[in-house]
């Protein structure tokens, strides 16, 4: 294993790949942006924050 | 990321005042147990993270960093307990000073206060795993899979990954549940609409046909779509008293009767009875009542079973037997859980029936106050509430007794409700028939309202469906992604771990392999045992092998996690069970595989310290040896300057006895080191308890032999200048040795140093001077390091020092 691998925390790596996979799966840019903000910018991993990102401002029935 | 240049420790743990200069290089702290080595480790961790895990980990009870971190004499003065480290931040090429005190452990004073440096230090503080003790080491190897997963997850910061996974699953599940409820609401709205339209199938064609029939009665044109059923109907300008739409009310009452017939019918009674029997059967199992809590307790408990005795009562237990017994209980509870799911499947149709009845009766609540005489609407509302409570109880299922009580009454509709429905029906039937036109208007009004309700229900259902699908898709993508990344990590770590372990055990376990097996919340770890199969590390491997496994797994995890930023680690006596030959390999491993990582290592074993030196894992003065510790002064180290100053101090106060003891102790330590470095011949002792009289004369004899051999070698090369130079050195050394009289100990080891105690200060001072000079005779005059013979095995070729300025050839010219 190379010891010169650039440093990236494992969660960060998982989140980056997750967001890329969402984009590849055709999930809307808005939703991916919201999730990016929660996971990589604000780093708030609460259920409320994630729910807000997943469901957005769509009318919750 | 960083390397540590130096540390200054004041009034911290067992240390009063200690400065160590690491110079960014590997460094060893050696000393017997209780001499303050771990204090250095704690101080480093504290300075970098603001915490000391040893004082805040499991089982520390009332011990706290703030209260018990300061030296015991400064326990009420935590601001005096300070640690200052100077670190080099590689990425910034800057050196910063970090200072913390125990009055405010979380406050860090960084100089210079550079934002980029602060960010790097924040990242360092987020990785307390740079400090590794044997306690942590064993956690990676001998822990249960659940516990190991926790440890590895903590090291890799996977808790965040798992938290997000759990949250996304919860969101998807809650969206699914919401959709199920809205599906029911939508179905009920559909039934109500069909009833209002008096059609059997809710199609646009049938609905339009029914609507246009009524519209024709009041002379309205036929519609082609259902945008507004009442389109064209006159809006009354004066408020008319509300009345019951007779035909619709009769249809709704009929639907209510049908729902009541269903809920009170044999089918419902039998289903409820069947579920009651199932629940009674489950309830007869004493483990079931608190199954959820107990399953959680057992799963947690089996993960915590590590010690050989109960942590509550200290009674010894058979760990394997206990684990087996608890596993049987967990398996039993899983069987209960399976049975519970079967029961839940049987309950689901009952919930649908209750919802249907509740919806039908709720519709009647709207007619109740308009009837003559009025029917108490509270009766319908109370029934509605009762249905909702029953549904909630059936969904919760626990406690069984309450669920059984609900099931026992599920097919009973109280006479009060039945009477209220009958009274409403009588009142509705008694209503005068409306004119055809009025009836058509009422029909269209009700149909319009119910179409609106249906449309809203369908809209909500559609949104919920989209949300549920999206939430599930996102959750699934996350699960797939994280599984893939984590599997990749475990595969890479597994491979690297195997390679590191094979290096340490080369020649013995060259074909060693390991398997890290991730599963939900667990991380299995099986290792190859000499080709006989894969087993848990604790199954067949020795304690020493387990230690080196833990160490290699740690290194593999750190290398994966931090990559090139793995530049610093503190290893606190981590290889105490590993034998000498494997420790030597560990030194070689660290040097070869982690050349850019600064290791600060503690050990109680001076032999491993020697290995570190001979393998050049540490060089020069990159080590400190604590010789003892006392509560007033903290650790005392073996340091030339310190020792001679200390001896002088004792002599100044005429304490010859203590000065003599210290000299003897120091000479024993140094003589052993000299014999090792010079490869002196000493009579072997199995207990390794060598006396000064056995060591120092051997070192002197060896030094003389080496000079003799060096002169022979110089002669063979015809280097008379070198011969003369060595002869001069030899002559000086001989004077020093003779002055010390040290070799006479070979004659009677008991006489000389024991008699020191009886000497006066004036008599003892020359003795001290003689030995100080003698030891200097073994040193390089430039770097003041003791000389050593190279190589450390086979035929001696060279006597040299660390700086290389003293280099005496021992090899003769081949003729």
């Amino acid at each position: 294993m190379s010891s010169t691998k650039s440093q990236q925390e494992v969660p960060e790596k998982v989140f980056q790949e997750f967001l890329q996979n969402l984009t590849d799966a055709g999930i809307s840019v808005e939703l991916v942006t919201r999730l990016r903000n929660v996971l990589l910018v604000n780093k708030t991993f609460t259920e409320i924050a994630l729910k807000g990102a997943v469901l957005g401002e769509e009318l919750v029935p | 990321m960083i390397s540590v240049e130096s540390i200054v420790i004041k009034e911290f743990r067992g240390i009063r005042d200690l400065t160590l200069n690491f110079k960014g290089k590997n460094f060893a702290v050696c000393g017997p147990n209780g001499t303050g080595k771990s204090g250095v480790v704690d101080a480093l961790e504290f300075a970098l993270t603001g915490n000391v895990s040893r004082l805040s980990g499991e089982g520390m009870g009332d011990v706290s960093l703030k209260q018990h971190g300061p030296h015991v004499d400064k326990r009420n003065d935590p601001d005096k307990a300070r640690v200052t480290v100077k670190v080099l931040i590689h990425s910034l090429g800057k050196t910063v000073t970090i200072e913390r005190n125990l009055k405010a452990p979380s406050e860090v004073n960084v100089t210079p206060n550079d934002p980029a440096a602060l960010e790097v230090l924040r990242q360092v503080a987020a990785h307390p795993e740079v400090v590794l003790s044997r306690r942590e080491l064993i956690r990676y190897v001998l822990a249960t899979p659940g516990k190991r997963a926790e440890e590895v997850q903590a090291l890799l910061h996977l808790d965040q990954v798992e938290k997000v996974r759990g949250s996304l699953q919860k969101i998807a599940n809650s969206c699914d549940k919401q959709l199920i409820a809205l599906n029911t609401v939508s179905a009920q709205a559909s039934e109500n609409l069909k009833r209002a339209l008096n059609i059997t199938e809710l199609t646009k064609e049938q609905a339009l046909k029914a609507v246009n029939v009524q519209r024709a009665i009041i002379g309205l044109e036929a519609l082609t779509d259902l945008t507004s059923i009442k389109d064209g109907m006159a809006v009354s300008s004066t408020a008319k008293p509300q009345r019951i739409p007779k035909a619709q009310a009769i249809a709704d009452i009929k639907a209510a009767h049908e729902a009541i017939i269903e809920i009170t019918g044999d089918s419902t009674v039998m289903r409820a009875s069947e579920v009651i029997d199932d629940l009674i059967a489950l309830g007869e199992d004493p483990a079931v009542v608190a199954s959820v809590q107990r399953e959680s307790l057992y799963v947690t408990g089996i993960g915590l079973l590590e010690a050989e005795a109960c942590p509550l009562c200290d009674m010894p237990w058979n760990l394997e037997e206990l684990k087996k017994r608890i596993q049987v209980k967990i398996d039993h509870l899983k069987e209960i859980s399976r049975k519970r799911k079967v029961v839940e499947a049987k309950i689901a149709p009952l919930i649908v029936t209750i919802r249907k009845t509740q919806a039908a009766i709720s519709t009647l609540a709207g007619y109740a106050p308009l009837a003559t005489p009025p029917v108490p609407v509270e009766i319908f509302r109370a029934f509605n509430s009762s249905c909702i409570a029953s549904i909630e109880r059936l969904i919760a299922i626990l406690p069984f007794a309450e669920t059984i009580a609900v099931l026992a009454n599920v097919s009973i509709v109280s006479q009060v409700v039945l009477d209220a429905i009958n009274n409403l029906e009588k009142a509705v039937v008694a209503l005068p028939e409306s004119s055809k036109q009025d009836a058509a208007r009422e029909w269209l009004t009700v149909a319009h309202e119910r179409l609106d309700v249906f449309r809203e229900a369908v809209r909500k259902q559609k949104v919920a469906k989209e949300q549920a699908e999206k939430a599930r898709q996102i959750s699934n993508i996350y699960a797939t992604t994280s599984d893939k990344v984590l599997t990749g990590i475990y595969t890479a770590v597994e491979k690297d771990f195997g390679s590191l372990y094979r290096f340490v055990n080369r020649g013995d376990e060259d074909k060693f392999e390991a398997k890290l097996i991730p599963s939900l919340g667990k991380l299995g770890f099986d290792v190859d045992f000499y080709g006989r199969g894969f087993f848990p590390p604790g199954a067949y491997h020795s304690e020493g092998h387990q230690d080196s496994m833990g160490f290699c797994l740690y290194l593999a995890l750190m290398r994966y996690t931090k990559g090139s930023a793995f530049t610093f680690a503190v290893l606190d006596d981590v290889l105490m069970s590993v034998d000498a030959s494997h420790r030597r390999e560990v030194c070689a491993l660290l040097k070869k595989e982690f050349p850019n990582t600064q290791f600060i290592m503690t050990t109680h074993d001076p032999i491993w310290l020697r290995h570190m030196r001979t393998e050049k894992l540490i060089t020069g003065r990159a080590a400190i040896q604590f010789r003892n510790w006392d509560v007033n002064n903290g650790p005392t180290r073996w340091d030339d300057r310190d020792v001679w100053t200390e001896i002088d101090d004792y002599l100044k106060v005429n304490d010859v006895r203590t000065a003599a003891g210290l000299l003897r102790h120091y000479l024993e330590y140094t003589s052993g080191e000299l014999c090792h470095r010079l490869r002196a011949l000493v009579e072997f002792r199995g207990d390794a308890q060598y006396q000064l009289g056995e060591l120092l004369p051997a070192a002197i004899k060896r030094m003389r032999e080496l000079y003799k051999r060096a002169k022979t070698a110089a002669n063979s090369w015809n280097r008379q200048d070198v011969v003369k130079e060595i002869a001069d050195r030899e002559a000086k050394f001989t004077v020093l040795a003779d002055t010390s009289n040290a070799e006479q100990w070979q004659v009677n080891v008991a006489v000389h140093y024991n008699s020191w105690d009886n000497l006066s200060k004036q008599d003892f001072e020359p003795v001290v001077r003689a030995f100080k000079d003698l030891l200097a005779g073994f040193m390089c005059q430039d770097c003041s390091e003791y000389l050593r013979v190279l190589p450390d095995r086979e035929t001696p070729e060279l006597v040299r020092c660390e700086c290389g300025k003293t280099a005496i050839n021992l090899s003769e010219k081949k003729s």
Side-chain angles (χ1 to χ4, degrees):
Chain A
M1 189 186 304
S2 167
S3 63
T4 54
K5 179 174 71 72
S6 64
Q7 190 198 9
Q8 187 183 35
E9 300 282 357
V10 175
E12 201 177 305
K13 184 178 166 62
V14 172
F15 300 155
Q16 292 275 20
E17 286 201 29
F18 166 55
L19 294 169
Q20 184 56 51
N21 288 343
L22 287 181
T23 306
D24 295 346
I27 301 292
S28 72
V29 176
E30 291 79 11
L31 197 154
V32 176
T33 306
R34 287 198 299 268
L35 277 170
R36 185 182 303 283
N37 284 337
V38 169
L39 297 173
L40 294 174
V41 180
N42 301 328
K43 298 187 178 179
T44 47
F45 309 112
T46 61
E47 195 180 323
I48 292 175
L50 285 164
K51 193 169 186 175
V54 171
L55 303 180
E57 293 179 358
E58 291 168 27
L59 181 65
V60 179
Chain B
M1 191 182 276
I2 63 159
S3 53
V4 180
E5 298 290 312
S6 65
I7 184 166
V8 179
I9 308 166
K10 289 187 188 292
E11 306 293 1
F12 185 90
R13 304 291 288 147
I15 298 172
R16 303 306 301 252
D17 187 352
L18 179 69
T19 298
L20 298 174
N21 287 308
F22 303 135
K23 297 178 181 169
K25 309 277 186 200
N26 293 337
F27 194 92
V29 181
C30 182
N33 291 336
T35 49
K37 301 184 298 295
S38 294
V40 176
V41 172
D42 292 345
L44 275 164
E45 185 186 0
F46 174 67
L48 296 175
T49 70
N51 189 35
V52 175
S53 46
R54 197 192 310 273
L55 295 183
S56 55
E58 278 176 32
M60 289 315 295
D62 295 333
V63 177
S64 78
L65 175 61
K66 203 165 177 178
Q67 274 188 305
H68 306 102
H71 185 273
V72 64
D73 291 347
K74 297 289 177 187
R75 61 189 181 280
N76 297 321
D77 214 356
D79 64 326
K80 293 280 191 300
R82 288 173 180 274
V83 182
T84 308
V85 293
K86 196 176 274 188
V87 302
L88 170 65
I89 300 176
H90 298 179
S91 57
L92 304 176
K94 282 184 181 173
T95 300
V96 297
T97 303
I98 305 168
E99 187 179 357
R100 289 184 197 263
N101 72 66
L102 278 169
K103 190 177 180 186
S106 58
E107 288 176 19
V108 58
N109 187 11
V110 179
T111 314
N113 200 354
D114 179 335
L118 291 177
E119 174 54 25
V120 172
L121 297 177
R122 190 196 59 74
Q123 287 176 28
V124 172
H127 286 277
E129 61 273 8
V130 293
V131 178
L132 179 75
S133 71
R134 186 169 187 267
R135 195 171 50 165
E136 277 97 31
L137 195 75
I138 287 304
R139 282 181 187 168
Y140 295 123
V141 176
L142 292 184
T144 57
K147 190 74 181 162
R148 181 181 304 110
E150 276 179 33
E151 297 295 335
V152 172
Q153 281 183 0
L155 194 128
L156 296 174
H157 287 208
L158 296 187
D159 49 332
Q160 294 169 357
V161 175
E162 290 307 304
K163 194 176 175 189
V164 171
R165 184 203 291 259
S167 293
L168 290 176
Q169 267 175 357
K170 269 188 183 177
I171 292 164
N173 291 344
S174 100
C175 286
D176 284 346
K177 277 186 185 168
Q178 185 175 245
L179 179 61
I180 290 169
L182 288 172
N183 284 343
T184 307
V185 170
S186 174
Q188 285 164 1
S190 167
E191 287 301 314
N192 280 349
L193 180 59
K194 281 194 287 185
R195 207 159 51 242
L197 297 173
N198 198 21
I199 57 176
T200 53
E201 201 178 336
L202 193 57
T203 63
K204 186 181 174 187
E205 192 182 29
Q206 281 203 25
L208 274 173
K209 191 176 167 189
V211 166
N212 285 335
V213 166
Q214 299 298 324
R215 286 177 65 89
I217 292 170
I218 54 175
L220 296 176
E221 62 183 51
L223 298 174
T224 55
D225 64 57
L226 291 166
T227 311
S228 174
I229 293 173
K230 296 200 302 182
D231 193 29
M233 266 175 68
V235 179
S236 172
S237 55
T238 55
K240 285 185 181 171
Q242 270 191 297
R243 43 171 291 163
I244 299 174
K246 186 175 179 179
Q248 188 55 54
I250 287 173
D252 289 338
I253 290 167
K254 187 179 167 220
H257 282 310
E258 285 168 1
I260 287 169
I261 287 168
E262 184 183 334
I263 202 168
T264 56
D266 290 345
S267 166
T268 306
V269 172
M270 281 174 66
R271 184 175 287 277
S273 171
E274 196 181 328
V275 176
I276 288 172
D277 289 345
D278 287 350
L279 290 180
I280 289 171
L282 276 177
E284 280 171 356
D285 186 331
V288 170
V289 180
S291 63
V292 175
Q293 291 89 336
R294 286 196 185 175
E295 187 173 351
S296 161
L297 173 70
Y298 293 150
V299 170
T300 308
I302 203 167
L304 295 172
L305 287 181
E306 289 176 341
E308 295 299 321
C310 170
L312 300 178
C313 63
D314 296 328
M315 288 291 286
W317 58 29
N318 183 325
L319 202 57
E320 288 311 310
E321 189 64 32
L322 185 60
K323 281 182 180 176
K324 273 185 201 160
R325 191 175 289 189
I326 292 179
Q327 194 57 51
V328 168
K329 287 176 186 288
I330 290 172
D331 292 342
H332 178 56
L333 290 179
K334 280 184 180 155
E335 176 61 15
I336 290 167
S337 174
R338 189 191 62 75
K339 286 180 183 170
R340 184 179 145 169
K341 285 197 171 98
V342 170
V343 174
E344 282 173 342
K346 287 183 183 174
I347 286 176
L350 288 172
I351 293 174
V352 171
T353 304
I354 298 171
R355 278 205 171 112
K356 189 175 172 185
T357 312
Q358 175 222 346
I361 305 280
S362 295
T363 312
L364 302 189
Y367 302 135
L370 303 175
T372 306
V375 176
V377 70
E378 294 75 22
I379 293 173
F380 298 122
R381 285 181 183 155
F383 182 80
N384 189 45
S385 303
S386 163
C387 286
I388 291 170
S390 297
I391 290 167
E392 285 174 356
R393 168 57 38 220
L394 293 181
I395 289 172
I397 213 172
L398 285 170
F400 289 155
E402 290 181 25
T403 308
I404 289 170
V406 166
L407 287 164
N409 294 310
V410 77
S411 59
I412 297 172
V413 177
S414 77
Q415 195 56 46
V416 177
V417 175
L418 295 174
D419 289 347
I421 296 170
N422 288 334
N423 290 339
L424 179 65
E425 188 173 15
K426 279 180 199 163
V428 171
V429 170
L431 286 172
E433 294 297 330
S434 307
S435 67
K436 263 193 157 182
Q437 287 75 13
D438 282 347
R441 282 192 195 92
E442 286 165 1
W443 189 98
L444 286 168
T445 303
V446 171
H448 179 83
E449 286 169 3
R450 292 195 182 180
L451 180 59
D452 279 352
V453 170
F454 173 70
R455 279 178 170 149
E456 181 61 10
V458 169
R459 190 193 63 74
K460 285 183 176 175
Q461 184 192 22
K462 188 176 168 223
V463 171
K465 188 165 181 274
E466 285 170 3
Q467 287 182 342
E469 285 172 356
K470 196 193 299 171
R472 183 61 60 194
Q473 185 188 13
I474 288 170
S475 174
N476 288 343
I477 289 175
Y478 185 86
T480 310
T481 307
S482 60
D483 282 351
K484 190 178 156 208
V485 172
L486 295 187
T487 302
I489 290 172
Y490 290 138
T491 305
V493 169
E494 179 184 287
K495 195 175 163 198
D496 196 33
F497 161 71
S499 151
L500 295 173
Y501 183 81
R502 281 194 296 275
F503 185 99
V504 173
N505 294 277
R506 53 192 155 163
D508 178 24
E509 291 190 79
D510 287 333
K511 294 182 178 170
F512 175 86
E513 282 180 22
K515 288 180 184 169
L516 282 168
I517 311 140
S519 60
L520 198 62
K522 293 182 177 177
L523 183 61
F525 182 38
D526 285 343
V527 294
D528 166 60
F529 187 72
Y530 297 96
R532 301 294 198 278
F534 284 82
F535 306 95
Y540 297 113
H541 277 93
S542 70
E543 208 172 314
H545 285 91
Q546 289 166 30
D547 269 12
S548 61
M549 273 181 214
F551 185 55
C552 291
L553 183 56
Y554 168 80
L555 291 172
L557 284 164
M558 289 300 279
R559 178 144 74 175
Y560 188 91
T561 314
K562 299 174 80 77
S564 58
F566 181 35
T567 57
F568 177 71
V570 182
L571 309 175
D572 188 14
D573 224 350
V574 290
L575 297 175
M576 56 193 285
S577 298
V578 176
D579 61 36
S581 64
H582 287 97
R583 284 184 195 175
R584 192 187 290 272
E585 297 298 349
V586 168
C587 292
L589 175 84
L590 295 180
K591 200 159 172 287
K592 175 176 175 280
E593 294 283 325
F594 301 91
N596 300 317
T597 305
Q598 178 191 22
F599 292 102
I600 308 292
M601 296 158 284
T602 71
T603 178
H604 63 280
D605 185 355
I607 294 172
W608 195 33
L609 178 65
R610 282 204 191 110
H611 285 160
M612 293 181 207
R613 283 197 162 114
T614 50
E615 294 301 320
K616 298 203 182 299
L617 183 62
I618 58 172
T619 53
R621 289 181 170 264
I624 182 170
Q625 281 201 274
F626 291 150
R627 61 184 151 101
N628 57 22
W629 177 92
D630 71 73
V631 70
N632 291 319
N633 301 302
T636 316
R637 52 183 166 175
W638 283 131
D639 177 282
D640 289 349
R641 203 172 340 166
D642 275 0
V643 171
W644 301 120
T645 307
E646 205 176 334
I647 290 171
D648 284 347
D649 289 344
Y650 287 125
L651 290 179
K652 276 177 197 164
V653 294
N654 230 6
D655 187 356
V656 177
R657 187 184 181 85
T658 308
L662 180 55
L663 176 62
R664 188 172 69 238
H665 195 181
Y666 180 64
L667 287 175
E668 276 170 355
Y669 156 71
T670 311
S671 301
E673 182 66 21
L674 288 171
C675 287
H676 169 73
R677 284 169 173 258
L678 301 177
R679 298 175 54 188
L681 293 176
V682 180
E683 191 173 295
F684 178 77
R685 293 194 61 87
D687 60 2
Q689 297 300 304
Y690 296 99
Q691 293 187 0
L692 179 57
E694 295 162 310
L695 295 172
L696 189 53
I700 293 169
K701 185 180 175 192
R702 177 62 170 168
M703 197 71 237
R704 291 186 203 272
E705 286 170 0
L706 290 169
Y707 281 135
K708 194 175 170 188
R709 188 182 287 209
K711 284 191 293 184
T712 307
N715 272 319
S716 73
W717 292 95
N718 200 22
R719 289 290 304 272
Q720 294 311 310
D721 56 330
V722 177
V723 173
K724 185 177 181 310
E725 186 187 325
I726 293 169
D728 288 347
R729 292 179 76 112
E730 184 183 20
K732 284 178 190 166
F733 183 77
T734 301
V735 171
L736 296 173
D738 291 348
T739 309
S740 72
N741 225 10
E743 285 172 300
Q744 289 187 20
W745 282 331
Q746 273 185 309
V747 180
N748 185 347
V749 296
V751 172
H752 300 276
Y753 56 78
N754 283 346
S755 65
W756 287 350
D757 291 358
N758 303 321
L759 294 180
S760 68
K761 178 186 165 188
Q762 285 72 23
D763 292 335
F764 189 62
E765 278 174 337
V767 175
V768 173
R769 214 163 31 245
F771 279 102
K772 188 177 177 182
D773 293 344
L774 173 63
L775 293 185
F778 287 96
M779 292 176 183
C780 163
Q781 301 307 309
D782 289 300
C783 65
S784 298
E785 281 295 322
Y786 289 118
L787 302 175
R788 69 164 61 245
V789 171
L790 293 176
D792 66 343
R793 287 177 191 273
E794 309 294 332
T795 308
E797 294 171 5
L798 195 65
V799 175
R800 62 162 289 173
C801 65
E802 295 294 340
C803 74
K805 286 190 178 171
T806 302
I808 304 169
N809 175 46
L810 301 175
S811 301
E812 292 179 43
K813 186 177 183 181
K814 286 176 186 165
S815 51

